[in-house]
Amino acid sequence: MPAPHPYAARLASIPVERHEVGVLGGTTAYWVYGPADAETTVVAVHGFRGEHHGLEPVVAYLDGYRIISPDLPGFGETDALVGRAHTLEDYVAWLDAFVRAVAPGAVILGHSFGSIVVASAVAGGLRTPRVILVNPIGAPALQGPRGILTRLAVFYYWAGAKLPARAGEAVLRNKLVVRIMSASMAKTKDPDLRRFIHDQHDTYFSRFADRDVLHDAFVASVSHDVSEFAARIAPPTLLIAADRDDITPIEAERRLAKQFPDAELVEIADVGHLIHYETPEQAADAIRRFLAPSGDGTR
């Protein structure tokens, strides 16, 4: 039985439409939330193994904005890239083409692995007035506070790609492994919220096209970080970081913020790498303040 969705009532009040668009020879599925005539449009890029549902709790607190949330290639309902290896460069090419086709000039938001894709794309010339990075990967993952676990994850995804097809797929979609990943990231002690988080991961964490896509995307996610691109990101940038993030420690996020020409860092206490699930209202408040023309939180 699905866990109760704590943000369902707010989401239900926001209009949403599913769309598809051809990008780089494949079909990208995306969802448009909010009014069509909103003053501000935000393209939101989710993280590794996720899909657009993961960012919906933040969307729930961004009523009045137009949010365009695609599934990354090879995840959720979006086709794997045709004739490409799902490297960071391939994801950047996809994002650039997607934004040009659907929402040129939009604000660009990225969460986790999405922060790397967004940072690389903007540094490479994707035009946007503002950039928002939630739980940004601000330092090499193998050097984070759980570097040993990251190395175990490297082996896990490598083994999933090398085992015979059926065994490899079973390992990568194993529900116990998904639950361990979920439990390690969740910091909340609220049992209902933990059940919701685990249910979200159980439902959506294994909706990847195949093991090759998953392996390639994982390699891309641990081989790069936002600090590689920060100095070349000219638009004003908002970093929303967690003080208990096991992937990028808050000290690294503080150093990262100083590498941008124009960046603001908002720190959220008592949460880890799941800001979008555990503290979406605080994240949305920071986004509203950042996007407000007057700078005082009003629109």
Side-chain angles (χ1 to χ4, degrees), residues 184-263:
S184 71
M185 290 189 289
K187 303 302 181 186
T188 180
K189 298 190 185 316
D190 182 328
D192 291 333
L193 184 54
R194 288 186 73 90
R195 279 195 292 271
F196 166 70
I197 291 169
H198 296 333
D199 182 64
Q200 287 282 293
H201 287 144
D202 289 346
T203 303
Y204 302 118
F205 229 45
S206 294
R207 295 183 65 190
F208 52 87
D210 57 51
R211 61 182 183 159
D212 292 330
V213 167
L214 188 64
H215 174 263
D216 291 350
F218 174 75
V219 170
S221 74
V222 298
S223 301
H224 301 276
D225 65 84
V226 174
S227 68
E228 296 175 44
F229 313 105
R232 293 185 284 125
I233 296 176
T237 301
L238 172 66
L239 309 179
I240 304 177
D243 70 353
R244 297 179 64 193
D245 196 330
D246 293 317
I247 296 178
T248 303
I250 194 63
E251 293 81 7
E253 301 286 29
R254 292 166 183 162
R255 291 193 296 270
L256 174 66
K258 296 176 182 178
Q259 297 179 46
F260 288 81
D262 182 1

Side-chain angles (χ1 to χ4, degrees), residues 38-297:
E39 292 182 10
T40 303
T41 295
V42 179
V43 171
V45 183
H46 64 78
F48 175 69
R49 277 194 82 149
E51 55 173 69
H52 74 282
H53 287 98
L55 292 173
E56 284 191 330
V58 179
V59 172
Y61 289 97
L62 289 175
D63 51 299
Y65 292 83
R66 182 171 175 254
I67 312 295
I68 297 176
S69 190
D71 284 346
L72 280 169
F75 294 90
E77 297 180 33
T78 293
D79 293 342
L81 295 171
V82 179
R84 292 174 179 259
H86 295 82
T87 64
L88 176 59
E89 292 75 17
D90 293 322
Y91 279 111
V92 166
W94 163 83
L95 178 60
D96 185 74
F98 175 78
V99 171
R100 284 190 285 106
V102 172
V107 172
I108 310 295
L109 178 153
H111 172 257
S112 189
F113 175 51
S115 74
I116 302 175
V117 176
V118 167
S120 179
V122 175
L126 176 61
R127 296 176 64 85
T128 179
R130 298 202 167 211
V131 178
I132 301 167
L133 306 179
V134 182
N135 284 122
I137 308 299
L142 293 174
Q143 298 176 18
R146 291 198 175 185
I148 293 176
L149 290 181
T150 302
R151 287 178 173 82
L152 289 174
V154 170
F155 175 76
Y156 168 71
Y157 286 107
W158 174 85
K162 295 301 182 182
L163 286 169
R166 177 175 288 186
E169 289 279 347
V171 165
L172 293 171
R173 300 182 195 272
N174 183 275
K175 292 183 178 181
L176 177 60
V177 173
V178 170
R179 179 54 58 88
I180 291 171
M181 293 178 185
S182 185
S184 71
M185 290 189 289
K187 303 302 181 186
T188 180
K189 298 190 185 316
D190 182 328
D192 291 333
L193 184 54
R194 288 186 73 90
R195 279 195 292 271
F196 166 70
I197 291 169
H198 296 333
D199 182 64
Q200 287 282 293
H201 287 144
D202 289 346
T203 303
Y204 302 118
F205 229 45
S206 294
R207 295 183 65 190
F208 52 87
D210 57 51
R211 61 182 183 159
D212 292 330
V213 167
L214 188 64
H215 174 263
D216 291 350
F218 174 75
V219 170
S221 74
V222 298
S223 301
H224 301 276
D225 65 84
V226 174
S227 68
E228 296 175 44
F229 313 105
R232 293 185 284 125
I233 296 176
T237 301
L238 172 66
L239 309 179
I240 304 177
D243 70 353
R244 297 179 64 193
D245 196 330
D246 293 317
I247 296 178
T248 303
I250 194 63
E251 293 81 7
E253 301 286 29
R254 292 166 183 162
R255 291 193 296 270
L256 174 66
K258 296 176 182 178
Q259 297 179 46
F260 288 81
D262 182 1
E264 169 190 353
L265 172 64
V266 171
E267 300 181 18
I268 300 182
D270 300 320
V271 66
H273 201 64
L274 303 181
I275 283 175
H276 57 307
Y277 283 141
E278 296 187 39
T279 57
E281 184 174 8
Q282 289 173 260
D285 285 346
I287 292 169
R288 284 184 176 280
R289 290 193 299 270
F290 179 66
L291 296 180
S294 63
D296 62 2

